[in-house]
Amino acid sequence: MIIGYVTEGIILQNPLKAEILDFLQLKPNGTTEYEIIKMLEEKQYFYGLADESELALFQKHFITMNALYQLQISLWKNDRIFLDITSIRVSIIEAKIKDNKGSEITETAAVREYYLDWKNYEATDQEQVLKMLTSFWEMFYNQDKVFSAYETLKLSQYEPFDVVKKQYRRLAIKYHPDKGGNQTDFIALRKAFEIIKQTEFGIGC
């Protein structure tokens, strides 16, 4: 099932984009990749996948991420609407947004380009998938650190990264030692920010 491929700068369109976009519009507070895949499975959009269960799971993941990153590009290019894609949350920022969102698309370029290139789908075998699953479980068990980081920054879980950055900057000024703040609290804030940033942009690189 070839639905996305980068060749000479041209991205072949993923036919699942419209279905996923409809689903995202029903989720104003965001959703997860798992819920998107479950929806696609229920509508029987996946077929011709590998016999090995682990490899088939990777293929579903890759197909879904391929569609999401194609949507991110088209929504931003055509409508200046940002599709926020992280390892724990996918959401559309409905309002017309500032141009600085474009820099976040650039920050995720390595991850995006991986999923847009269909050669990565074709080149991944069962052994490689098992290694990826090991990394996934390590990330899964580190989720407590992520949730704790949001609490340190006095934020609800899964806030968009632009909200995280603004909150960190506000609190960093308040707790900076040069401003009379506590160094321990300041370092804790910085650590929390780095954990969330790594989750947003580092998983899957």
Side-chain angles (χ1 to χ4, degrees):
M1 182 180 179
I2 298 179
I3 58 175
Y5 204 102
V6 175
T7 175
E8 296 181 355
I10 299 173
I11 301 175
L12 302 184
Q13 296 303 303
N14 188 315
L16 301 182
K17 285 167 56 180
E19 193 70 49
I20 292 175
L21 182 58
D22 285 344
F23 183 73
L24 290 172
Q25 290 176 326
L26 298 174
K27 304 286 184 176
N29 296 321
T31 185
T32 64
E33 181 196 357
Y34 172 79
E35 290 179 333
I36 295 171
I37 289 176
K38 184 177 178 180
M39 177 272 294
L40 295 172
E41 285 177 332
E42 290 173 351
K43 296 190 175 184
Q44 300 183 341
Y45 278 112
F46 296 118
Y47 57 88
L49 302 181
D51 294 331
E52 300 94 335
S53 59
E54 294 88 355
L55 184 53
L57 178 61
F58 166 79
Q59 290 172 336
K60 292 176 184 179
H61 162 73
F62 192 101
I63 290 167
T64 302
M65 296 303 291
N66 176 277
L68 286 171
Y69 279 111
Q70 286 194 22
L71 274 173
Q72 186 187 66
I73 291 172
S74 61
L75 286 172
W76 177 256
K77 180 179 179 181
N78 298 322
D79 302 300
R80 279 298 188 265
I81 292 175
F82 186 67
L83 178 61
D84 195 30
I85 304 170
T86 75
S87 62
I88 55 178
R89 182 177 178 272
V90 179
S91 62
I92 293 176
I93 298 178
E94 297 281 0
K96 302 295 181 179
I97 52 182
K98 298 179 181 179
D99 288 341
N100 61 11
K101 270 294 179 187
S103 65
E104 293 193 9
I105 293 179
T106 301
E107 286 186 62
T108 60
V111 179
R112 186 184 69 240
E113 294 306 319
Y114 173 83
Y115 288 111
L116 289 179
D117 192 339
W118 197 252
K119 289 180 288 186
N120 293 318
Y121 176 97
E122 296 173 336
T124 304
D125 59 22
Q126 175 75 355
E127 182 179 354
Q128 290 171 304
V129 168
L130 290 175
K131 291 180 180 179
M132 290 180 185
L133 287 175
T134 299
S135 297
F136 168 79
W137 286 116
E138 289 175 354
M139 182 273 290
F140 178 81
Y141 287 119
N142 282 329
Q143 286 301 303
D144 284 345
K145 293 182 179 179
V146 177
F147 298 150
S148 177
Y150 278 100
E151 291 179 356
T152 299
L153 293 175
K154 299 178 174 59
L155 290 171
S156 301
Q157 295 172 10
Y158 313 141
E159 289 282 7
F161 192 63
D162 61 330
V163 174
V164 174
K165 286 195 295 186
K166 290 178 182 177
Q167 177 73 344
Y168 166 71
R169 290 168 182 165
R170 185 180 71 81
L171 292 176
I173 292 173
K174 179 179 179 181
Y175 290 101
H176 197 286
D178 291 345
K179 303 292 184 180
N182 181 285
Q183 183 174 358
T184 301
D185 291 338
F186 178 78
I187 292 175
L189 289 170
R190 184 66 201 185
K191 180 179 179 181
F193 176 75
E194 291 298 334
I195 289 172
I196 295 173
K197 183 177 180 181
Q198 181 180 3
T199 302
E200 295 280 326
F201 300 121
I203 301 300
C205 290

